[in-house]
Structure formats: structure tokens, C-alpha cells
Amino acid sequence: MAEEEESGQDGYTKDGTVDLKGNPILRSKRGGWTACSFVVVYEVFERMAYYGISSNLIIYLTNKLHQGTVKSANNVTNWVGTVWMTPILGAYVADALLGRYWTFLIASAIYLMGMSLLTLAVSVNGLKPPHCVDKNPANCEKANTVQLAVFFGALYTLAVGTGGTKPNISTMGADQFDEFDPKEKAQKLSFFNWWMFSIFLGTLFANSVLVYIQDNVGWTLGYGLPTAGLAISIIIFLAGTPFYRHKKPTGSPFTKMAKVIVAALRKWRVTVPADPKNLYELDLQEYANKGKYRIDSTPSLRFLNRACVKTDSTSPWMLCPVTQVEETKQILRMIPILIATFVPSTMIAQVNTLFIKQGTTLNRHVVNNFKIPPASLVGFVTLSMLISVVIYDQFFVKITRKRTKNPRGISLLQRMGIGMVFHIVIMVVASMTERYRLKVAKDHGLDVTGGQVPLSIFILLPQFILMGTADAFLEVAKIEFFYDQAPESMKSLGTSYSMTTLGAGNFISSFLLSTVSRVTKENGHHGWIQNNLNASHLDYYYAFFAILNCFNFIFFLVVIKFYVYKAEVSDSLRLLKEELRASNHRVTDQETATI
């Protein structure tokens, strides 16, 4: 009888996914690559929209709003940092209140409103300062308060919108694959690689076509196209609604974790039983329901186990189930890994700021009168990343899988570590390239006049290409790691971790740039970062970054030595079913003995 019932359920998903009305769904009707195709195509257009704004933002701030090097770079990194930090709020709303689908739709409307306002800000003459031909922005008329308010108001409205879209769209894509179906689980392993592929495909278009339009045709069309692209992406997402699988909101992850921490602190004198079976846990049947998973007690972060020690009180702020405690541990265990990714994220922030500013000082002529926009070099990061992801997925994984027996080839942390080594190499190469550029500039007296250095912009290619290769290792692995290692009920929060690190990296970049600029100007020195890059010392600044990356890599090696991967959910379900069957057999035996 039990076998017939189990067989009858084979057509339904086993991971707790439902339709928008909360009904169980057939695997053949929803989800899989069919649903993912809408999500992936959405991401291509949305990334085109976002990077159509962010890639060339520093050029707009310096050429149109007439801001200096440090101020414009910091404005970019502060805004990008906000863009990547707001997903924490979006993840909270999705997990605790609205669910991923509705949170995403509301945030998309805010996102589109911000993009539309931004397009107006660069189009209407009264919303931007008058044109200035002076190479020194200090001699140009600055934007007034109203102009700055409209422009940055639009930017930060956009940032709020992305906070609801970023953590939920990738998680929704991953939700389309059932972790408990072997075939779909295998497909899910490649999802994040192709997810990143779609991101950088949209980025490539933005960094080539849109950036060229902004530099050579006009900012109105250059920002209008990304806005239209975002509108198209939302329509594409809505078209896939009949095919999506959804997971119900499971409550605020922050509240769940707070209860565990408070309960453990309030019972800090309580002795934890040696036998985990004596700890408080919910009935097995609750975890057998779809969408609920039981996690056995672990010895790591043992202090938190006090939260599930039974006492006189049954208050949720005094007594928590073992599974809730273990979920909290899983989130907390990832924090050291999260911190270790801050420095590489700071390096990524240089791509859209100082790397591009370097390009403005070099010869950009390619053929006849065609001049490559400095921000278009970011397209080589994209190309490098696309090629590296394909090579990694199609060749590297297959070769290493034979030796390691790991379905991924190497572990996610090993993949992240390789990416961090690339970041060290990138900054060494960038420092050496900049030293050569400064030498040529000085030889031609350009350190005083600030003119164009007689070197091709393509001398910067190695640092851009290497950054793309580093992304193929570190960024893809980072997204997959934080999603994979997060508890099932906190996937959006886990995904937001990978975005939080980019936000932190941009804020750290702003802090370091301001601090280094200020400190190196003391005692009458010229400083490492000036408006005239030919008189600056970005070579020293990049060398400092290389050293910082070395120390961070050592920290990462120490952290991963103590990290324990969480158990596979599918394995937990198998063990749970076995335990339930054993429990049922014991009950049957007792009834038989009674009779």
C-alpha cells in the first residue's frame, strides 16, 4: 500500500514547490529548463540594462557632472555598493512575507521607475550642467543641488529596485530544479554556470554597443535603450509565469536566527546533553511534509546547542528545535567565507572606476577615425569570462571529475581559491602596466600637461582579460556556494550573501581610495591619486592591492581549513524516510504484540 502511494506521487515535485495558488505541481508541467529559459532570457536583458548604466557611469560623472577622479570613483562605488547591499532587504521580504515571485514583481516596478527617471535626468537640459570642454573638471560649472538630487535620486531608486530582483531571480531559477530528483539535481549543477553566462552576455552588449552609443551618439539614447531593455525583460519574465515552480515563504530567517542566539545566551549555564537525542526536536512527521527538512545536531558551534536543551520554558525565545539551531549554524558558518571574499570584490570595483580612467589617458584609435570607448574594455572581462566558463564546464570539470570523483570536478571552495590567486596576479600585472604607462607619460612631459599618452589602450587588455578568468572561478563558485550551503528555508538569504560581498567590496574601495588619497597628500606630497592620472601613482596603489590580496588569501586558507560542508538535503530526506519507516515498523510490531 505504501509502495503504491509512493509511486502515485512520482509525478509531483518533492521539494515543496507549488503553483501561485499553493497547490502541489506535476514535474512535467512546470519547472526545469522550460521555466528557466524565461528566467535566463530575462537576465540577459536586465544585465544589459544595469551594466548599460554602471559601466560608463564614471565617464558621465566626470565629463557631464564635472566631478574629479576620487569623487567620481567614490560615487560609483558607493552606488554600486548600495546596489549589492539592498538584496539583504529583498531576501528578507521574499523569505518572510511575499515570496520570491511577488517580491520580484514589485521590485521590478521600482527598478523601471528609477531607470525612467535616470533617462530623463540625462536628457532634459535643465537637469544637467552646461557642456564644458575644459579637460580639468575643476574649471567647469558644477551640477546644482536640484540636478544632483534628481540624478542620484534616480540612481538610488534603481538600487532599491535591484534589491528585490537580484536575490530572488537567481534563486527562482535554481528552484525550478527538484533537489530530490536525480536528473534535475544533475541539471542544477550546471545552472549557475549558464546563469553567469546569461549575465555576461547582456553585459557584453552593454559594454560594447551601449557604451559606444553613450560616448558617440548621446546619453539620451544610451540610457533610453537600457530602460527599454528592462521593460522587455519584465515582460519576458511575466510570460513564463504559467511554467514557474514556487516555494512558500517560510518566515523571517533573521527572526529564526535571533531566537536561537537569544535562547542560547539565556541558557548559557545549562549543560548540553551528551546524547543529541535528548535535545528538543519537532515530530518526525512534520519534517516528512513537503518543503520541510530535518537536520541532525552537529558538534560545531556547540554553544548554540543550548537553545534546544529542554527546560521548564517552551517559549520560542527559550527553546528551539534542533533543525532551527542547525540552520542558524549553517548561516553563521558561512560568515568567515563571506568576509574572505570582500577583498576580491574590492578588486572587481576597480574595473568600472580606475581601470576605465586609465583608458581615458591612452590612444583609443583603432581603425581610421573609430575610437574605442574606455568602458568598452570591460567587454573583454565579459568575453574572457564567457570563454572561461565554457572551457571550465565542458573540459576542466570532466577531466578533474575522473580524479576527484566530485561531480563538480573540484570543490566550490577550491574553485574560489583559484580565483583569489588570479586576483593577486591581476594586481601585479596592473601595477607593472601602470608603471610603464607613467614612464612613457613622463618621457613626453605629459605628467605636467595631462595630455594623451602615446600608447594604445590595448596595453590594459591583460588586466581586463585576467579579471574575466578570475570571475569564472571565484564569482560563479561564490554564487553557487552561498546558495548551496544555505538552509533550504533561507535560500534567498544565502544568495544575498554573494551580493553582499560585492556591496562590501565597493564600500571598502571607496574607503581605501579616499584614505590613500588623503594620507599620500600629507606633508606636502602630491598624492597617489590625482585628477591628472599622468602625475598620479596608481602603480603604487595597485601594488598595495596585490599585497592586500596575498594576506587575504592566507586568511581564506585558514578559514576553509575549519569549514565543514553541510549534508546533502537529498541524503537527509533518504535518512528521514528510513527512520519514518523504522518508526512505523516499531509501531506495527507493538500493535501486533498487544494483539
Side-chain angles (χ1 to χ4, degrees), residues 488-551:
E488 296 303 310
S489 62
M490 301 180 185
K491 289 298 187 185
S492 292
L493 179 60
T495 303
S496 72
Y497 263 30
S498 62
M499 300 171 187
T500 299
T501 177
L502 290 171
N506 275 273
F507 286 126
I508 292 171
S509 178
S510 294
F511 170 77
L512 290 177
L513 186 63
S514 297
T515 303
V516 170
S517 176
R518 185 185 69 254
V519 171
T520 55
K521 285 181 181 178
E522 293 178 352
N523 300 321
H525 293 94
H526 292 295
W528 287 2
I529 301 105
Q530 303 176 40
N531 290 336
N532 178 9
L533 289 189
N534 295 338
S536 301
H537 269 296
L538 286 182
D539 55 336
Y540 295 169
Y541 192 55
Y542 291 154
F544 163 70
F545 275 154
I547 296 170
L548 187 62
N549 273 288
C550 288
F551 282 112

Side-chain angles (χ1 to χ4, degrees), residues 233-282:
S233 70
I234 295 172
I235 293 171
I236 291 171
F237 175 83
L238 287 171
T241 298
F243 302 100
Y244 298 140
R245 300 173 185 174
H246 306 277
K247 288 192 174 181
K248 297 178 181 179
T250 55
S252 167
F254 299 109
T255 303
K256 290 181 181 179
M257 293 190 294
K259 287 178 179 177
V260 171
I261 295 171
V262 170
L265 290 173
R266 293 174 71 178
K267 294 188 288 188
W268 67 278
R269 292 183 178 180
V270 174
T271 302
V272 179
D275 188 354
K277 292 183 179 179
N278 293 326
L279 298 174
Y280 172 67
E281 181 58 290
L282 299 178

Side-chain angles (χ1 to χ4, degrees), residues 380-399:
F380 288 97
V381 176
T382 305
L383 284 173
S384 173
M385 199 277 178
L386 291 176
I387 295 170
S388 298
V389 164
V390 172
I391 293 174
Y392 183 91
D393 201 39
Q394 298 299 318
F395 300 100
F396 183 83
V397 171
K398 292 180 181 179
I399 294 171

Side-chain angles (χ1 to χ4, degrees), residues 84-243:
W84 291 112
M85 292 296 278
T86 51
I88 297 177
L89 178 61
Y92 168 80
V93 173
D95 283 340
L97 303 171
L98 302 178
R100 289 160 194 159
Y101 181 84
W102 293 112
T103 301
F104 173 84
L105 281 187
I106 294 171
S108 294
I110 298 172
Y111 191 173
L112 185 59
M113 182 172 64
M115 289 285 290
S116 301
L117 181 59
L118 192 63
T119 303
L120 285 176
V122 302
S123 304
V124 179
N125 288 331
L127 295 179
K128 56 186 178 181
H131 179 67
C132 179
V133 295
D134 197 307
K135 293 182 179 179
N136 187 354
N139 300 328
C140 297
E141 182 180 337
K142 306 296 182 185
N144 60 42
T145 304
V146 173
Q147 292 166 343
L148 291 175
V150 172
F151 184 81
F152 285 103
L155 277 179
Y156 282 90
T157 299
L158 186 160
V160 172
T162 59
T165 59
K166 286 182 184 295
N168 292 305
I169 188 64
S170 59
T171 311
M172 269 195 68
D175 287 345
Q176 305 311 307
F177 300 99
D178 190 347
E179 186 77 17
F180 305 121
D181 179 76
K183 181 180 178 181
E184 292 194 10
K185 184 177 180 180
Q187 292 173 335
K188 192 174 183 177
L189 291 177
S190 292
F191 167 72
F192 286 103
N193 280 340
W194 294 107
W195 174 254
M196 291 298 293
F197 188 92
S198 70
I199 288 176
F200 283 90
L201 197 61
T203 307
L204 180 61
F205 182 83
N207 291 331
S208 53
V209 178
L210 293 181
V211 164
Y212 179 82
I213 290 173
Q214 290 165 2
D215 277 14
N216 297 279
V217 179
W219 292 92
T220 299
L221 183 61
Y223 275 23
L225 287 176
T227 303
L230 179 63
I232 292 171
S233 70
I234 295 172
I235 293 171
I236 291 171
F237 175 83
L238 287 171
T241 298
F243 302 100

